[in-house]
Amino acid sequence: MTTTAATEQTSPSTITVRAPFDGGTITEVAATDSAGVNAAIARGRSMLRAVHAGEFPAWKRSEVLDLAARTLRERIEEFARTIALESAKPIRTARVEAQRAVSTLTFSAVEARTLAGHMVPMEGSEAGAGKLAFTLRSPIGVIGAISPFNFPLNLVAHKVGPAIAAGAPVVLKPASSTPLSALALAALLNECGLPDGFLTVTVGAGSTVGDALVNHDDIAMITFTGSPDVGWGIRARAPRKKVGLELGNNAPVIIEPDGDWQRAARLIKTAGFSHAGQSCISTQRIFVHESIAAQFTELLEAEVQSLVVGDPLDEQTEVSALISLSERDRVCEWVNEAVLAGATLVTGGQIDGSLLRPTILSNVADDMKVSYLEVFGPVVGISTYRDFDTAIERANDTRYGLQASVFTSRLDRAMQAVHGLDFGGVLVNEVPTYRADQMPYGGLRDSGNTHEGPAYAVREMTHERLAVIQL
Ligand code: NAP
C-alpha cells in the first residue's frame, strides 16, 4: 500500500482561511465537492476490504499511531502555531491542545493493540452443547467524521485515532474556518505510515460536503462534534446510520461555603475564559452560596481583570478573539440583554477590536440567555443560593448535560452532587471544564448521545461480530 497526500481535491474552488484575530488571510485551501466526497468514500471502502483481508492489521495500526504521537510531540510548536493562527487560541493554550492530541493518539494506539471481543458461555445451555462461540470487534464500516472549530487538532485526533485503532477508514470534514490543523495531522499520519485512502480530509461547507457525507449510503457511521441544532439535525436526517453526537453545554459549578472558593475563583479565571470561552465545557453558570458571594465575586473580578488579552501569537496572551466578528457581536448582545434585564456587569462587556473583554455578570437569572443557552464566549454569570438542594435543582434545570462540578469539603455534599447532578460527568473540587483525554466524555439530553475518549470511541466505531463454531 502506498502513502500519499490525504486530501480530496476534485473541485476547482478554494476556501480562504483567515486569522480571526486580525482577519488576515492565512492561506487558500482546495475545497471538495460531492464528487470528491464520493471518491473519498470509495477509497475508504477499498481500504475497509484491505483491513478485512488482514492487510493493515491492528499491530501495524498501533505502530502508525505510536509513531504519529511521537512525531507530533516533536512538532508541538509547529502544530500549536497553526492552531493559534486559524482559531485565535492563545499560543500557550494551543500548545496544551497539541500535547493533548499526543495523548489522544497514544491512548488510541493502546486500543488498537488490546481491543478484543469475548467468549460466549455456550456450555451454559443444552442448546449450546458442542459449540464454541465468541465475539470479535469488527470495524463498523467507513466513518464520516465532522469536527468543530474550537479544538481543530485534538477533536480531530479524538475521531481519527480511535477509527484507526478500530480499522475503520475515515472521511473527515473539519470546520471550514479551521481546516489547517486537520490537514496537517492527516499529512503527519500518512508520513507515519497510514495507507492512502484510510483517511481523507474533505474541506468544504457543512451544508454541501457535510451533507454529502451524512446522506451517503456507504457511510456506516457519522461521528459529529459541534452545535446541538446541527448535530440533532444530522441524527434526524440519517435514521439508518449510527450517529454519535458530542454537542454543547452551559456548564454549572456550585460553590459551597466550606469549599475552597479561592481556588475555585483562580481556576475559573482559566476555565471560563480559555479560548475566549469557546469550549463545550467552559465554566458558564456559577452558583455561589450567599454567605461567600461577595468575597468570591471580588476575588474572581481581580483574577479576570488580570487576564492578558490580545494577539494569540503573543506569549503573554491568555484571551484572544472569538472565531468571527458575528460571534463576538452575538455574545455582546446577550450580555447587554442580561444587563437590561437586571444583571450586574462586574467587569468586561466591551468590544475591543475582534475581542470581547472577559466578562463577569452577577445577579443573573435562570431565564436569561447567558444562563439557559450556551454562551460560547468569554462570559460567566454568578447567582447566589441559600440551600444546596436548590443549587442542584437550578444547575440541573437545563437542556444540556455534559459536565458539572461542585466545590465542597463535605463528603456527604460531594456525594449528593455526584448522585444529584444530572450530567455525563460530575467533578468535585475541580471546574467542570476539566478533561483528560482518556476519560469517558459525553453528555445527556441536548449535549449528545455518545462517549469519546479512545477506549469508548473505539467501541462505538466497531460492532461485535459473533462467531459460532460447531465442534
Ligand atoms: P457547528 O457550527 O455545529 O459546526 C460543526 C461542524 O459541523 C463543522 O464542521 C460544520 O461545517 C459542520 N456542519 C454545519 N452544518 C452542517 C450540516 N448541515 N451538515 C453536516 N455538517 C454540518 O459547531 P461549531 O461552531 O464549529 O462548534 C461549536 C459547537 O461545538 C458548540 O456548541 C460546542 O459546545 C460544541 N462542541 C462540543 C464538544 C463536545 O465534545 N461535546 C466539543 C467541542 C465543541 P462548517 O464549518 O463548514 O459550517
Side-chain angles (χ1 to χ4, degrees):
M1 275 174 274
T2 55
T3 60
T4 59
T7 50
E8 185 56 55
Q9 304 178 347
T10 56
S11 149
S13 66
T14 58
I15 280 188
T16 305
V17 185
R18 293 183 191 283
F21 177 65
D22 59 12
T25 298
I26 305 172
T27 187
E28 302 272 332
V29 174
T32 311
D33 55 15
S34 58
V37 172
N38 293 344
I41 295 170
R43 281 207 307 277
R45 295 271 301 164
S46 107
M47 267 315 303
L48 186 65
R49 285 190 288 276
V51 169
H52 284 312
E55 286 174 39
F56 188 33
W59 67 267
K60 275 197 185 164
R61 303 201 298 271
S62 68
E63 282 193 355
V64 169
L65 287 162
D66 268 336
L67 181 58
R70 286 199 302 276
T71 312
L72 179 55
R73 186 179 290 122
E74 285 160 14
R75 298 188 196 160
I76 290 280
E77 208 46 44
E78 192 185 308
F79 274 84
R81 208 183 142 75
T82 302
I83 294 168
L85 259 178
E86 67 176 346
S87 74
K89 182 170 287 185
I91 185 75
R92 279 154 56 190
T93 321
R95 282 187 197 114
V96 175
E97 178 176 347
Q99 189 59 53
R100 284 183 54 188
V102 170
S103 176
T104 304
L105 294 175
T106 306
F107 280 109
S108 298
V110 171
E111 290 306 316
R113 276 192 196 95
T114 54
L115 187 66
H118 65 272
M119 294 303 297
V120 181
M122 296 305 280
E123 237 186 279
S125 78
E126 226 178 308
K131 289 191 166 59
L132 178 72
F134 57 91
T135 66
L136 42 86
R137 287 276 174 184
S138 188
I140 193 165
V142 180
I143 292 178
I146 302 177
S147 57
F149 75 83
N150 63 334
F151 285 83
L153 180 66
N154 193 33
L155 289 180
V156 169
H158 266 289
K159 300 194 179 307
V160 170
I164 295 172
V170 191
V171 181
L172 168 78
K173 196 212 92 59
S176 301
S177 50
T178 58
L180 303 180
S181 303
L183 289 166
L185 180 65
L188 181 145
L189 281 159
N190 276 161
E191 187 189 321
C192 294
L194 188 70
D196 182 30
F198 198 99
L199 165 64
T200 307
V201 181
T202 50
V203 178
S207 52
T208 53
V209 171
D211 223 41
L213 276 176
V214 171
N215 291 330
H216 203 293
D217 285 344
D218 288 338
I219 290 288
M221 173 184 182
I222 295 285
T223 167
F224 174 88
T225 302
S227 57
D229 288 351
V230 175
W232 290 111
I234 289 174
R235 177 82 190 78
R237 292 204 304 285
R240 294 183 180 204
K241 286 189 194 350
K242 186 166 191 178
V243 178
L245 302 174
E246 293 277 357
L247 309 173
N249 193 37
N250 57 355
V253 52
I254 299 173
I255 304 170
E256 278 281 90
D258 54 76
D260 188 346
W261 56 265
Q262 289 99 332
R263 179 165 176 272
R266 283 194 299 274
L267 289 176
I268 292 169
K269 172 187 177 183
T270 304
F273 300 93
S274 178
H275 200 193
Q278 298 165 114
S279 157
C280 47
I281 40 175
S282 195
T283 300
Q284 179 178 326
R285 293 182 294 146
I286 304 172
F287 298 100
V288 59
H289 192 271
E290 60 181 15
S291 63
I292 51 163
Q295 304 103 292
F296 170 81
T297 305
E298 198 180 318
L299 178 58
L300 185 63
E301 181 184 358
E303 290 288 343
V304 170
Q305 283 178 346
S306 75
L307 282 164
V308 178
V309 300
D311 186 334
L313 293 176
D314 187 326
E315 283 296 331
Q316 305 311 315
T317 296
E318 294 169 292
V319 179
S320 187
L322 281 125
I323 193 68
S324 65
L325 298 181
S326 59
E327 276 298 281
R328 176 203 65 183
D329 293 345
R330 174 191 60 78
V331 177
C332 189
E333 207 176 293
W334 287 15
V335 169
N336 292 338
E337 265 179 47
V339 171
L340 277 176
T344 307
L345 185 63
V346 177
T347 187
Q350 313 88 12
I351 285 175
D352 178 357
S354 53
L355 283 118
L356 176 67
R357 306 286 304 187
T359 303
I360 304 175
L361 293 167
S362 65
N363 299 317
V364 295
D366 297 347
D367 61 357
M368 293 173 178
K369 280 185 191 152
V370 292
S371 298
Y372 75 87
L373 294 177
E374 179 183 33
V375 171
F376 221 58
V379 179
V380 297
I382 301 173
S383 57
T384 61
Y385 68 89
R386 187 166 297 168
D387 107 280
F388 192 59
D389 290 347
T390 313
I392 290 193
E393 214 173 284
R394 287 176 63 199
N396 282 341
D397 185 17
T398 170
R399 55 191 271 226
Y400 303 109
L402 191 47
Q403 292 200 153
S405 85
V406 63
F407 282 80
T408 178
S409 56
R410 284 178 53 173
L411 189 55
D412 59 335
R413 287 276 154 91
M415 288 314 295
Q416 188 184 343
V418 166
H419 289 294
L421 284 169
D422 197 19
F423 288 77
V426 177
L427 295 98
V428 176
N429 295 330
E430 188 40 274
V431 280
T433 315
Y434 175 84
R435 181 181 183 188
D437 292 278
Q438 69 273 33
M439 282 167 37
Y441 184 74
L444 308 176
R445 301 181 290 278
D446 271 15
S447 292
N449 63 359
T450 190
H451 281 103
E452 284 193 345
Y456 308 90
V458 78
R459 279 162 182 80
E460 298 286 335
M461 292 172 173
T462 49
H463 66 88
E464 233 179 336
R465 173 158 309 157
L466 172 70
V468 182
I469 300 174
Q470 174 65 48
L471 297 172

